[in-house]
């Protein structure tokens, strides 16, 4: 279904204004640090872009983890590390870095993800540490567990304060079948949320994805086809936390396995030595998302003007074909109508945002987990 006709969709606006960026463009930044190879390297995502499906994959992978094509003939390419640019206070790259900030302090930055998979889709990154991907958490399990909890708890706090604190949001998304009398605690929030991290990532700065239900109609359909939370690419928060706790208790780490191991190694070892099953955690998350959608999705069939079958658009009531309307245009407009990303909009009705308040003075001051 597509083409939402609801006219009472709640949008949660940011309450605080955001500062202008402390630094100008990523090009100027690179020029300033041109004699610092480490800094220049940090600002790039090193990827192999699959020739068949165009997915950016980790550079050491032999096969694309999306379509399975061989990557052996694909050369390594680079994209701007946008998440690291955010926490360094850089103002723009190929486009302006406007962040829809929902929570920030000296340690982390939490913002609305523009992808807006769900009604509340937050992303949280460390701000004073350079952690390229989640494998580095397994290099230092104790510190890794603390970092994981910091990012998750900050996102949960941002969700509770911004979204749960908003009356119209509560009423619309949670007021139907389930009545909540008061703000949830962070652990109660857990059952309404799919959180975790991707490996390999497309941005090489650690980030927790915090996806609070319900999923947007289009993304839920994509999810049912296996298009989100990919098996063995998405690592549920519960799996990461259990694994890091077990390693911490056992005084064991994966530090010497760097840099060229894949998460398959971790998945196997966790099962073998600690009985922690990736499959169980992943399947539990998948059923939880379905459950969450059934309980909390506020829209019914009657709220949609169109029915989508493959690439074709049909009138939901009368059933006739609309050859002039594309599926993509309907999805884009539905996402825009529902998302709180970038609210309040600016005078041109475009998403607004700002910059991170506490960027490190010098990128070399970031604690580097790769050392
Ligand atoms: Zn591919």
């Amino acid at each position: 279904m597509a083409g939402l006709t609801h006219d009472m969709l709640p949008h949660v606006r940011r309450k605080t204004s955001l500062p202008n960026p402390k630094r100008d463009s990523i090009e100027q930044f690179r020029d300033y640090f041109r004699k610092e190879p480490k800094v220049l390297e940090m600002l790039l995502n090193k990827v192999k872009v699959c020739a068949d499906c165009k997915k950016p994959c980790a550079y050491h992978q032999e096969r694309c983890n999306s379509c399975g094509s061989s990557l052996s003939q694909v050369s390594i390419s680079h994209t701007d590390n946008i998440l690291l640019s955010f926490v360094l206070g850089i103002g723009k790259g190929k486009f302006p870095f406007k962040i829809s900030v929902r929570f920030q302090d000296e340690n982390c930055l939490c913002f609305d993800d523009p992808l807006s998979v769900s009604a509340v889709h937050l992303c949280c990154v460390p701000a004073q540490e350079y952690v390229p991907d989640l494998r580095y958490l397994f290099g230092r399990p104790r510190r890794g567990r603390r970092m994981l909890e910091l990012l998750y708890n900050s996102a949960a706090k941002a969700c509770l304060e911004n979204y749960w604190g908003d009356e119209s949001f509560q009423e619309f998304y949670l007021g139907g079948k389930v009545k909540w009398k008061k703000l949830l605690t962070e652990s109660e929030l857990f059952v309404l949320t799919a959180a975790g991290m991707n490996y390999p990532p497309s941005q090489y700065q650690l980030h927790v994805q915090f996806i609070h239900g319900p999923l947007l109609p289009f993304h839920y359909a994509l999810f049912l086809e296996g298009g989100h939370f990919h098996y063995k690419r998405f690592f549920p928060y519960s799996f990461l936390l259990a694994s890091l706790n077990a390693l911490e208790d056992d005084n064991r780490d994966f530090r010497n396995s760097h840099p060229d191991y894949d998460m398959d190694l971790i998945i196997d070892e966790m099962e073998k030595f600690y009985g922690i099953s990736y499959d169980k955690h992943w399947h539990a998350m998948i059923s939880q998302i379905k459950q969450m959608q059934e309980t909390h999705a506020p829209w019914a069939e009657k709220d949609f003007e169109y029915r989508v079958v493959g690439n074709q658009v049909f009138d939901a009531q009368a059933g006739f074909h609309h050859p002039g309307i594309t599926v993509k245009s309907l999805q884009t407009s539905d996402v825009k109508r529902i998302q709180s990303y970038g609210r309040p909009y600016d005078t041109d009705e475009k998403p607004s945002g700002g910059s991170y308040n506490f960027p490190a003075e010098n990128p070399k001051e970031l604690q580097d987990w790769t050392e």
Side-chain angles (χ1 to χ4, degrees):
M1 304 301 290
L4 260 186
T5 54
H6 247 288
D7 49 8
M8 297 294 286
L9 295 166
H11 297 127
V12 179
R13 296 160 149 243
R14 294 185 311 271
K15 290 175 195 79
T16 47
S17 63
L18 296 163
N20 287 322
K22 301 257 193 306
R23 297 187 166 105
D24 198 58
S25 71
I26 195 166
E27 285 321 312
Q28 284 187 346
F29 192 82
R30 282 197 176 105
D31 188 52
Y32 189 82
F33 290 101
R34 64 190 174 278
K35 291 188 178 133
E36 305 282 353
K38 180 76 203 182
V39 174
L40 297 177
E41 196 193 314
M42 282 160 56
L43 287 171
L44 289 173
N45 303 307
K46 195 173 172 185
V47 292
K48 276 191 172 185
V49 179
C50 172
D52 287 326
C53 76
K54 309 291 174 226
K55 180 183 180 303
C57 297
Y59 64 89
H60 63 269
Q61 271 178 266
E62 288 169 10
R63 292 188 168 276
C64 171
N65 65 334
S66 176
C67 73
S69 295
S70 168
L71 296 171
S72 60
Q73 301 302 312
V74 178
S75 47
I76 289 172
S77 56
H78 296 93
T79 56
D80 288 339
N81 191 338
I82 294 170
L83 296 187
L84 198 66
S85 301
F86 282 2
V87 295
L88 288 170
I90 295 171
K92 59 176 189 256
K94 292 196 172 72
F95 51 87
F97 294 154
K98 279 189 191 168
I99 318 169
S100 187
V101 179
R102 293 292 177 175
F103 173 79
Q104 58 175 322
D105 63 13
E106 287 83 352
N107 298 313
C108 71
L109 167 67
C110 181
F111 53 91
D112 294 315
D113 193 311
L115 190 60
S116 301
V117 166
S118 70
V120 185
H121 182 176
L122 298 165
C123 185
C124 193
V125 292
Q128 309 300 336
E129 307 188 38
Y130 172 56
V131 195
D133 65 62
L134 71 87
R135 292 173 312 158
Y136 292 90
L137 301 177
F138 288 82
R140 296 170 165 88
R142 187 181 164 75
R143 224 172 127 188
R145 192 255 309 153
R146 285 191 192 147
M147 172 60 78
L148 178 71
E149 287 180 327
L150 169 80
L151 298 181
Y152 177 82
N153 290 337
S154 303
K157 185 179 160 70
C159 176
L160 288 173
E161 287 182 1
N162 286 269
Y163 290 93
W164 277 84
D166 184 279
E167 236 171 67
S168 60
F169 180 89
Q170 271 214 32
E171 185 59 37
F172 187 76
Y173 286 108
L174 303 144
K177 293 175 189 160
V178 181
K179 283 274 183 202
W180 301 93
K181 298 271 184 276
K182 59 177 175 59
L183 280 190
L184 291 187
T185 63
E186 281 159 21
S187 58
E188 286 171 310
L189 189 64
F190 189 80
V191 296
L192 293 165
T193 307
M197 298 180 182
N198 277 319
Y199 183 86
S202 44
Q203 294 286 323
Y204 281 78
Q205 172 70 339
L206 192 73
H207 49 288
V208 159
Q209 299 271 342
F210 186 97
I211 298 170
H212 176 296
L215 269 59
L216 269 52
F218 152 64
H219 283 296
Y220 189 65
L222 196 60
F223 158 77
L224 292 177
E225 291 165 13
H228 283 303
F229 308 100
H230 297 104
Y231 179 66
K232 292 198 177 175
R233 180 171 186 240
F234 191 85
F235 291 84
Y237 173 73
S238 64
F239 170 78
L240 295 172
L241 189 61
S243 301
L244 293 168
N245 272 324
L247 290 172
E248 187 180 345
D249 289 346
D250 199 22
N251 209 8
R252 193 176 157 213
D253 65 56
F254 282 79
R255 214 161 162 174
N256 295 325
S257 310
H258 282 304
D260 285 329
Y261 71 93
D262 220 320
M263 281 303 286
D264 285 341
L265 172 71
I266 303 272
I267 290 171
D268 291 346
E269 300 273 297
M270 289 304 130
E271 175 101 53
K272 193 167 143 199
F273 291 99
Y274 309 105
I276 298 168
S277 159
Y278 172 87
D279 280 32
K280 272 191 194 152
H281 282 269
W282 187 81
H283 284 294
M285 179 191 70
I286 295 296
S287 8
Q288 187 190 305
I289 295 169
K290 291 179 182 164
Q291 177 92 49
M292 180 168 86
Q293 199 75 5
E294 274 171 28
T295 318
H296 295 290
W299 27 75
E301 286 218 353
K302 64 171 175 49
D303 299 325
F304 296 93
E305 208 173 338
Y306 306 104
R307 181 179 301 279
V308 174
V309 183
N311 277 329
Q312 314 285 319
V313 176
F314 298 88
D315 189 278
Q317 304 301 322
F320 52 80
H321 187 208
H322 283 287
I325 304 177
T326 64
V327 178
K328 180 112 189 110
S329 69
L330 287 179
Q331 287 161 354
T332 309
S333 94
D334 280 354
V335 170
K336 265 191 109 172
R337 294 200 59 205
I338 301 172
Q339 72 182 1
S340 289
Y341 165 78
R343 309 263 178 187
Y345 280 0
D346 64 17
T347 44
D348 298 326
E349 283 300 297
K350 293 270 164 58
S352 71
S355 291
Y356 179 52
N357 248 335
F358 316 95
E361 284 301 319
N362 187 321
K364 287 189 292 180
E365 285 170 13
L366 298 181
Q367 291 177 45
D368 184 353
W369 286 45
T370 67
E371 281 170 353

